[in-house]
Amino acid sequence: MEEQKAKRNITRMLLILFIVAAAAAIAVIVWALYFRKPEVVLSPDYAPREEEPYAEDIPDDSGEKLTSPEGGGSVSITYSRNVSVDLGERRAALHFANPGKSNQDMVVQIVIRDNVIVQSGTLKPGKQVDSLELLDGAEEQLTEGTYEGGFNVLYYDPESGEKAVVNTEIPIQITVSK
């Protein structure tokens, strides 16, 4: 009789241990899916040395520079407020241009709810992009649908590469598909 009681106690302990382990595993999964913050992409203090590989020359761009005070900068931007993201291809279709009259280099980010999903390389004056790759892991943060987001435009001195004090935030609409 004592032996049967001991077996039942061991069985109960194993069952309790299994339930506790399963509950801990479920808690870790829920935390990982819903509460863990995604990695934050920091804006570089100096322009990336690599120019954006998908940048193209802007057709019929005069390149006449804007005037600006000593130590300042002047920019002109051309863009579309609608961006399409294809999760299967891991690409964003957009239109963003740094016309030749600008005297600053630019880096453009696409941001949804404070999460940077796309970041270009350096866009020199006279260059434009119509397609950019998603950052690693961005496709895991998105599902099909329409999002309110923004372009975050960072400016850099073309000679020193140093980041300007100001940046520009432009509201955009982002349509995500598979």
Side-chain angles (χ1 to χ4, degrees):
M1 198 127 162
E2 287 289 322
E3 197 174 305
Q4 286 180 339
K5 212 177 203 185
K7 283 184 182 180
R8 272 190 254 153
N9 284 342
I10 290 174
T11 304
R12 285 183 188 151
M13 291 298 287
L14 289 174
L15 183 60
I16 291 171
L17 267 168
F18 176 75
I19 291 171
V20 169
I26 290 170
V28 168
I29 290 170
V30 168
W31 170 81
L33 291 176
Y34 297 105
F35 299 106
R36 183 177 61 172
K37 291 187 178 184
E39 290 184 30
V40 175
V41 177
L42 300 175
S43 303
D45 293 328
Y46 290 86
R49 292 180 190 239
E50 179 182 316
E51 289 187 35
E52 174 54 48
Y54 298 106
E56 302 172 343
D57 290 332
I58 300 172
D60 302 322
D61 187 29
S62 68
E64 296 177 24
K65 298 290 182 197
L66 296 168
T67 58
S68 60
E70 184 68 32
S74 295
V75 295
S76 176
I77 303 172
T78 305
Y79 59 90
S80 171
R81 288 188 186 264
N82 295 312
V83 173
S84 298
V85 172
D86 186 321
L87 295 175
E89 292 185 17
R90 298 191 69 249
R91 301 195 69 67
L94 67 149
H95 178 73
F96 191 91
N98 183 7
K101 58 185 171 180
S102 295
N103 61 20
Q104 297 284 295
D105 292 344
M106 296 180 189
V107 170
V108 63
Q109 299 174 328
I110 297 175
V111 181
I112 298 175
R113 297 185 194 137
D114 297 326
N115 294 312
V116 178
I117 63 165
V118 172
Q119 181 169 300
S120 74
T122 301
L123 292 172
K124 300 274 185 198
K127 298 289 188 177
Q128 67 181 6
V129 289
D130 292 316
S131 177
L132 292 170
E133 292 180 12
L134 296 180
L135 292 175
D136 290 338
E139 69 276 6
E140 296 162 8
Q141 299 175 37
L142 302 171
T143 58
E144 289 183 284
T146 303
Y147 296 82
E148 296 297 321
F151 285 133
N152 187 27
V153 187
L154 312 170
Y155 305 105
Y156 296 89
D157 183 277
E159 292 174 20
S160 69
E162 188 174 353
K163 186 176 183 296
V165 176
V166 297
N167 62 330
T168 302
E169 295 177 5
I170 303 168
I172 60 174
Q173 188 172 56
I174 303 162
T175 303
V176 177
S177 62
K178 286 190 177 188

